[in-house]
Amino acid sequence: MLAKDVIRKFHALAGWDTQKQTITGATSMLAGATWPDLLEATAELLSLPLSTVQAWHDAVGPVHGNDKPVNDMDLTELIKKFKGMGMVVCVCTSDSRDSAEMALKNWKIYDLLDAVVTADDLSQDQAKPSPYPLRMLCKKFNAPVESSIVVGDTCGDTVMGRSANAGLTIGVLSGSGLPADLLENGADILLPDVSFIPEFISQISSNKRPASPEEEKQSRRIFRKVSAAA
């Protein structure tokens, strides 16, 4: 197999659009798979022992540790705002612990978080989109799953929220997820990015009576319109 054929097949396997230089969508491996998933798939593609591919990965180091936030929002103030609303704020990622902790520390929010769950902490069966991580975190903080809010930009995030019966699952459009994919896979609402969440939560919290089906549909239309315009 020629090198260019291997590269092409790997990009197709992982979900990378070489022309647009972006992830192909919220259901791609790069968007939602854990590193063990990617390494196993790569070893199978190349017909190599998993230990060899793992050694390559280890040599590269924390792949996403130096990633920048998706936009210029003040993440420190945003997390503090969530905490001020009485929320327990956790991160659940398919990335490795080394990469996740490096990125969160670079963003100055690691010490503000109540918990960080990574692919290293879970078996492959327990990782997103399994409901296990959310249920585990809710149990840890003695909170009903129905009171939780899941926020994510991939179908792995939104399916986890739906399958765990989260109180609200928010799809954000600042990452790899496309609106249709997220809505079809568990998102209750779409927002442009996480900075819109405090205002949205304040609005639904101030509603003292249950919304009628028509009011709920109107709310979703409004926020989808905002999302599409962002």
Side-chain angles (χ1 to χ4, degrees), residues 69-78 107 174 192-196:
V70 293
N71 56 37
D72 295 328
M73 74 180 74
D74 189 332
L75 291 175
T76 299
E77 288 304 311
L78 182 65
W107 301 345
S174 52
D193 58 55
V194 293
S195 67
F196 284 73

Side-chain angles (χ1 to χ4, degrees), residues 3-64:
K4 63 180 181 180
D5 293 329
V6 173
I7 294 172
R8 177 179 54 79
K9 289 185 177 182
F10 176 76
H11 286 159
L13 170 73
W16 180 255
D17 188 320
T18 56
Q19 292 186 333
K20 296 180 180 179
Q21 290 294 293
T22 186
I23 294 171
T24 55
T27 58
S28 69
M29 290 194 75
L30 283 176
T34 63
W35 275 113
D37 292 331
L38 283 166
L39 297 180
E40 284 189 10
T42 302
E44 183 176 350
L45 173 68
L46 300 177
S47 299
L48 289 172
L50 178 59
S51 59
T52 300
V53 179
Q54 181 69 57
W56 294 347
H57 176 68
D58 294 342
V60 173
V63 177
H64 297 296

Side-chain angles (χ1 to χ4, degrees), residues 49-159:
L50 178 59
S51 59
T52 300
V53 179
Q54 181 69 57
W56 294 347
H57 176 68
D58 294 342
V60 173
V63 177
H64 297 296
N66 292 312
D67 284 0
K68 295 181 179 180
V70 293
N71 56 37
D72 295 328
M73 74 180 74
D74 189 332
L75 291 175
T76 299
E77 288 304 311
L78 182 65
I79 299 297
K80 289 180 177 178
K81 187 175 292 187
F82 289 145
K83 305 281 279 189
M85 299 171 74
M87 295 184 180
V88 173
V89 183
C90 305
V91 166
C92 179
T93 175
S94 296
D95 208 344
S96 67
R97 178 158 291 278
D98 285 346
S99 288
E101 288 192 355
M102 184 181 294
L104 295 170
K105 288 175 180 177
N106 287 341
W107 301 345
K108 312 298 183 187
I109 62 172
Y110 180 78
D111 291 334
L112 297 174
L113 299 170
D114 294 288
V116 176
V117 178
T118 73
D120 294 339
D121 307 314
L122 306 167
S123 69
Q124 287 178 264
D125 290 340
Q126 293 172 335
K128 297 184 295 185
S130 163
Y132 179 84
L134 179 58
R135 290 174 178 168
M136 178 185 70
L137 287 168
C138 288
K139 183 177 180 179
K140 175 181 176 66
F141 294 102
N142 195 30
V145 177
E146 293 78 11
S147 70
S148 66
I149 301 173
V150 172
V151 181
D153 67 347
T154 73
C155 293
D157 302 313
T158 55
V159 171

